[in-house]
């Protein structure tokens, strides 16, 4: 059984004594004037992060845990140059599974199992036996399913929280179903399978045990490459999977960023791949703007400047327009 | 009552004698070795275009009609350097309304009145009285409605045929309705009105009486600017139209190309404007790719290279994939 | 009668007591350790800005004024972490017209009325009656003229001060006159009217009552779009204004940024529009570089790096070269 | 035993009668004035291509072969509008293996077996057992080795001939060896294996049986994606292959185009990947420029304008400089 | 004394016999069916170009002249495939100076000596002795002055005719004088000298004896580099020329294209260099648009599409607007 | 004889008294509350920089030295707001040559004389007498050779230390020799001379007496322009230097940045110039990445984000991969 945290970073006040679980976000060794070493540490949970120092027992505590580990920290909360700072007495690594990981990372507000059930239900309407076999092979891997329910869709920008990938994937599948019904001649099944697998490489591109970051593999290969590895190997194990259908599904992964400059080795070359790229852009853009609007409260009408999208967004919007 | 053409350019053979209606697409004066003038002319209808020469009665025929006019042409079909060529006997301007304009331009396969009825029905679900007043003011202008039913959406690329603007607008309105239902917090009414008016400036940007071309106004101002003029004047005539709602609707027109480099003076700054830009891109892109696939039959699997989209498209697609 | 400020932000010293007019530039609520709220405020005038805190009577003071209001502030000047900080006792909104607005924003060193007279004199040389009617209709709107004399030309970068738009417009008109005389075949009247109206949309794009900022309308539509609205409506009210002349004047507004990527829906397509774009670039660039050189005194020879223009400018320049 | 061609396209003259092997490059059906069908065909060999028509026995000949097939053509050489044209009597498909494929495509001037032996010798100097196992697994696939010896490196631009991929790969391996020796701290083995496998996906991206073209798989996935599939599967079959070493090798494939805009999902992130990208650019650029210089003889000093590289190259060069 | 041409290419008719001077624009050897060689030649003068063939005496005629030479051609005018074609009897090289070079290249409509006098008069107003010494050193080189009066300003695009560089330079100097008077604080002398020397490298970048083309030096170094060489050497020979003034003048040359992407190694970093770049752009753009408008008569209102400027220009313009 | 520093900035502790040599990196006048002036100064050496204040004797000390001068500073080390700060008692300018300049700037770890000897030895293998004369003329200028041994190759990014230009040049010459041997048909002599002179303009573009910065000349003209001036003047003094060879050598300088956007007025147009550009990129890139990896120790596997190269680099690399 996992233990829960009692107190979160955002709630700390000067004078508090704490003995609780946090992620060890950063650590570095420094030296005092007298030449003796001390440790700077930053610890974090889903509510934020705080700096601390270790004055005593430095070598043992330095060796107790690695960056990214969940640790039990005993400390007092002080102030230094106008900000709260911990004076840390002890740091102990915590066995995996001992704590609820959801205390350390922000999470989707929606239930992952329910989202997965809706996803499976939507995909059960597919008729092509090879595509069904491909999905079944994925669902038959319990580790993959577990990670799929938990993975974020990104480190920043959109759906950057536990369960974000499932939320993004499900939204895209449902939107794909609507758009496939709007235009005649679109292969609904290829489009929907494309929506399911397009970001599957993110299961290995990102680590999200205690904080969201890129893996070595992710930084070196990208989720598009990893997704191709995963789907290629799965398809190769299905007897008689038609070659062209395989190429079309892989093309959905390869081209879903829309152009080379955004990391797709080839641009979309089928109607379905063109649509998947737009559906991905719509869903990630809408989520990104909403999160940005929600996080920003300095001005009632306009958000701050969004560096990546290079504009401010209007929040006053339709409601205040008397609609 | 209008008269119909009997024969189309695509059906001409050497030796034919014709006496029929065409558009005068080009004309230029040249001189024979003996110093006497002759006329080069190109005439066209919706099936194609053909060159011709006028040897006799040159000054009178030269003055008979202007480029873009519908003319009655009497000629014989000959051959010159391996291609068919007309020897033109007479050219007479034809009064407007005397001929069916649809003989001269390709047209949507769908009925414009039915499309317009579906558009109005979709918009009748709106509740905001000012938006209803705006739409009513547009529909109350019979000349505008006539042009809306007839205008193409572009000179090339997508929906470049009579009725194309109505087809494109209706498709966008229906898609907007679906997407507004997919995401909570989207102002459906602003989005749908934006879909109706986003390209309304094309009614004056393009001329499409006998061939599709840009007007002087269109080339100098662009359909975004003209659309703003039209909607601003209409809104200004509605008592009490809320300022912010007016700005939001105009913003849909201003920003619908998505970024400055594509001709929008401001990028989309509301969720609704972001969605409208994607819906416009999806609908024009899908139409453009389909038209390009349909027009191309050199290779069963791949289209020719699409210069603007910088790729070939795969036609073999899903069907041949055994789905 | 308006009252004047007695003291400016740039002159404050620790220990001063003040009771004077300022612009409320920012405010935000925070909480003390004991849970009670306090207010952070920034107040400003044309000489600079300073932070302050409100410890007492917080709810009433928080409600007393909005960002952008001119307020009467009673406070003492203290120090906090090495910088001056106000401890604010009271904040009271001030009725419009009670204070001289020029105390709060930097202003052109030149007299607005004189500049406007020179502008009118230059335009009185025009002969085309429709262009004269257009100018007359603009000058007949006293509110427009008032704003024209007062508006800045930008929020930052160039002529970003009260009277800046008039200064920029007049300079462009005079330069346009010279260049129209240099090249034969240039329509001097279209060029000079273009210079007058090209930025007229800035009257509504920017607010500059107490600080320069974009309006909602400005951010959603851009001054190009607003300028088109203003000039279109004005022209529409002039009987018999020639269509082509109207399009040419509007084209000057539409194209004056020179290319789509800089916000013009169409690039310049007449000699006059090409010249107007260059004249605008020259005048804004020269003003921007001079202001940047004047504001910078860290190094005698070179300015700091100009982020937008991506270079340092050489100040040593010709004089030190012994010319 | 294969048969050889007797005559090549470049050597045909009007009046010749031919009965020889060619590639069927294009075919399309057309109709005569009398409504009867005829066939347009283009046939080719490594010396060039020529158009022809089939007047008789059209349906049978139309069905005899597909584009890309080697065919036996019986025809007479005539002239039509100033160019040679075949009148084709019969077309018969030829069994694979019956003809020497090298008659139909240009080929490297170097011996493929010798190049492969040099490549293997260079790689035999590697010490890492897993990298040796990876290479061995590739060489153990006789089909892969055959294709490696025969494949071109591109459809156009550089090494676009039979054996071109081997020539390009060997040159890169030898250059990589030199550069690895020039800089300390470079992992020579990772760099050299990267040089061997970086373009291995071209074995499936391109078809080069009778003419060089992209495969469906190549156009949909790109050689980078295909190379990842091939190397991933090979590595997965080697017991204990270190994960990080696998990622580093795959990263060489993923990043070898240098940036996303050139089709690499990730840019080079190790010194070895940075070097591989430069070595690839140098070798393909040098080959491309030399081929372009050699093919061009219009002017003694300068080549024609190279559209992709956007410049003319100077041929007069060093020699005429008296060096 | 030079001889003049009697007949120009534009005036030739079938059946004419000619014996006159032309530029040998192109020549290439070909072979007849019987294996004997013949020559294809293109000859030109300032009115246009025409193709021809040499059937007899081929080796001698082939050796008689090089591309770019002025030659005396004896020929008859025939027709081949619908176009005029010469059958050339003899070709003889002509000694330099024997013919008037102005027969072979289009020329400015203005008198070069008069333009040069105006240029010198404008520059005589300068007061700085070092700048006067620099100009004097240039004018003291009679070869340089001759070339300055004759050189075109470009191969294409603007002022691409004999005398074009003088016309362009004079126009810029006069415009620079006006603009220097418009803005206070501009160093008029540096600006005007910059206008004189900015393109001086074109004297060696371009050859324009019989046709305008780039020299080897021009293609390898660019006129900016060559201009620096020329001005640096001239300044180095003037005793006591101030270092900073020298750098400022050279900076005018270096930066006059405005940015690196247009070939300037450094962007303008003084007000004078910023102005020179705009003056150069205005003068070359205005000339380019006018030449393009003048050459184009297919449509009364709009020019053809200008590939480099990526737009059509409106010719109807102000006049038709009733101004 | 020069004196050496006793203590370096990086070794200072609060309470120290110093009396030693530093570079005066920055100085600015400020005023105390009582209206009296004080001086802020920053002093530096090759180990880092530190701020200080001068309270007494301000006018004399302010006038004692200029930014960039080496000064003798007498001061005590205190703390201010958590950082060390000097209270400076006296500042005295130091005669040039009195101190070892290498105390103030980081330097290559390699011996400049040895590197120069290797460079000369490599170039002694050249056979062309004019190229030998060019090199000899450079080596005969002792001032040039001194600066060549001492100059950095850049202000930042790569080889940004004393001796960096020699290190970079020698590495390129040796690499050029290897690559010239790899490809037949490359003019080894032109390539190697190009490597020697390509950055020679940096001798005047950069100042590096006590800190590395751009000179006025460097910022106004760029090292490409200056290099052309230097090599042009040198070549002009060699009797009979072939024109084309001169152009080819100058072209190596002009084009070595590879494209206009990177500051080359012309792109590489010979094989040798193409290779020189790649060799320059490889050598500067490898050095830049290594320096960046070495300076960064926050994370064992990945560097920080490199802003210019827009990525993180993988440090774990090959070694940890078990190679």
């Amino acid at each position: 059984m996992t233990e829960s945290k009692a107190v979160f970073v955002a709630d700390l006040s000067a004078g508090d004594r704490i003995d609780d679980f946090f992620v060890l976000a950063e650590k570095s060794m420094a030296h005092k004037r007298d030449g003796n070493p001390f440790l700077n540490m930053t610890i974090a949970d889903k509510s934020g992060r705080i700096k601390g120092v270790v004055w005593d027992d430095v070598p043992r505590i330095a060796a107790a845990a690695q960056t990214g580990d969940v640790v039990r920290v005993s400390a007092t909360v002080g102030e230094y140059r106008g900000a709260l700072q911990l004076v840390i007495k002890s740091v102990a690594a915590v066995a995996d599974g001992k704590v609820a990981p959801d205390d350390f990372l922000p999470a989707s507000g929606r239930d992952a199992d329910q989202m997965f059930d809706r996803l499976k239900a939507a995909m059960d309407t597919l008729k092509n036996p090879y595509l069904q076999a491909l999905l079944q092979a994925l669902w038959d891997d319990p580790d993959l399913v577990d990670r799929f329910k938990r993975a974020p869709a990104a480190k920043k920008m959109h759906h950057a929280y536990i369960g974000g990938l499932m939320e993004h994937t499900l939204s895209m599948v449902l939107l794909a179903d609507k758009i496939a019904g709007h235009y005649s001649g679109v292969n609904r099944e290829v489009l929907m399978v494309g929506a399911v697998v397009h970001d599957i490489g993110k299961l290995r591109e990102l680590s999200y045990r205690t904080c969201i970051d890129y893996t070595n593999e992710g930084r070196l290969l990208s989720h598009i490459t990893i997704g191709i590895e995963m789907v290629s190997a799965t398809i190769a194990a299905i007897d008689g999977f038609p070659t062209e259908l395989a190429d079309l599904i892989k093309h959905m992964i390869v081209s879903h960023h829309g152009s080379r400059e955004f990391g797709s080795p080839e641009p979309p070359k089928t109607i379905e791949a063109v649509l998947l790229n737009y559906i991905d852009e719509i869903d990630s853009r809408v989520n990104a703007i909403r999160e940005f609007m929600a996080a920003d409260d300095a001005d009632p009408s306009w958000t701050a400047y969004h560096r990546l999208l290079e504009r401010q967004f209007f929040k006053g919007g339709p409601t205040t327009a008397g609609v």
Side-chain angles (χ1 to χ4, degrees), chain A residues 80-317:
Chain A
Y80 182 64
R81 292 183 190 163
L84 296 181
Q85 187 196 55
L86 300 181
V87 177
I88 298 173
K89 302 280 166 49
S90 75
V91 171
V94 175
D96 269 8
K98 181 113 186 265
V99 291
D102 291 351
D103 283 347
F104 303 99
L105 279 175
S108 167
R110 302 171 60 185
D111 182 83
D113 290 322
Q114 285 181 9
M115 290 194 284
F116 184 53
D117 288 346
R118 286 193 65 188
L119 181 72
K120 279 198 300 188
M123 302 309 287
D124 282 348
T125 63
L126 268 56
K127 299 198 170 62
N128 183 287
Y130 297 106
L131 295 178
Q132 282 295 5
L134 168 57
L135 293 170
Q136 197 55 51
L138 297 174
W139 306 156
D140 283 351
D141 178 345
D143 180 51
L144 180 148
V145 171
D146 276 0
R147 278 146 63 207
F148 208 156
K149 289 179 181 169
R150 207 174 136 64
K155 185 177 174 186
K156 285 191 279 201
M157 280 299 294
H158 77 96
H159 303 94
Y161 41 74
I162 293 298
L165 181 62
M166 182 59 77
E167 196 178 307
H168 176 50
T169 301
L170 175 60
S171 176
M172 283 180 62
V173 163
L174 299 178
L175 195 50
D177 205 1
K178 286 178 179 164
I179 291 178
H182 183 75
Y183 292 109
S184 64
V186 172
N187 187 315
R188 174 182 175 267
E189 308 216 336
V190 167
L191 181 60
M192 289 178 72
V193 171
V196 171
V197 300
H198 81 288
D199 266 352
I200 205 163
K202 288 192 172 169
L203 300 181
R204 279 162 40 191
E205 184 188 45
L206 296 169
S207 66
Y208 38 89
R209 204 174 48 95
T210 56
C211 57
I212 302 177
D213 206 349
Y214 289 96
T215 60
N216 282 0
E217 187 186 17
R219 279 201 183 101
L220 291 170
L221 305 184
S222 93
H223 71 271
I224 285 184
T225 306
I226 300 169
I228 284 292
E229 283 194 334
M230 292 169 71
V231 168
S232 286
T234 307
I235 284 179
I238 298 172
D239 260 3
F241 201 104
T243 303
E244 187 178 307
L245 181 59
D247 288 345
L248 287 171
I249 295 296
K250 293 177 200 170
H251 178 63
M252 301 298 270
I253 298 174
V254 161
S255 70
H256 82 271
H257 282 192
S259 67
R260 288 190 183 85
E261 74 176 293
F262 295 124
S264 274
E266 294 292 340
K269 294 179 174 176
T270 63
I271 294 271
E272 291 76 21
V274 167
L275 288 174
L276 184 67
N277 168 238
Y278 282 123
I279 292 168
D280 189 21
E281 280 197 36
I282 289 174
D283 200 68
S284 47
R285 185 65 52 93
V286 167
N287 183 274
I289 297 173
R290 280 176 171 172
E291 298 271 317
F292 192 68
M293 283 182 171
D296 182 289
D297 60 0
D299 180 286
S301 297
W302 291 91
T303 66
Y305 186 79
H306 193 297
R307 285 176 191 281
L308 211 77
L309 300 179
E310 297 181 320
R311 70 194 89 158
Q312 294 178 282
F313 288 94
F314 187 53
K315 297 187 294 187

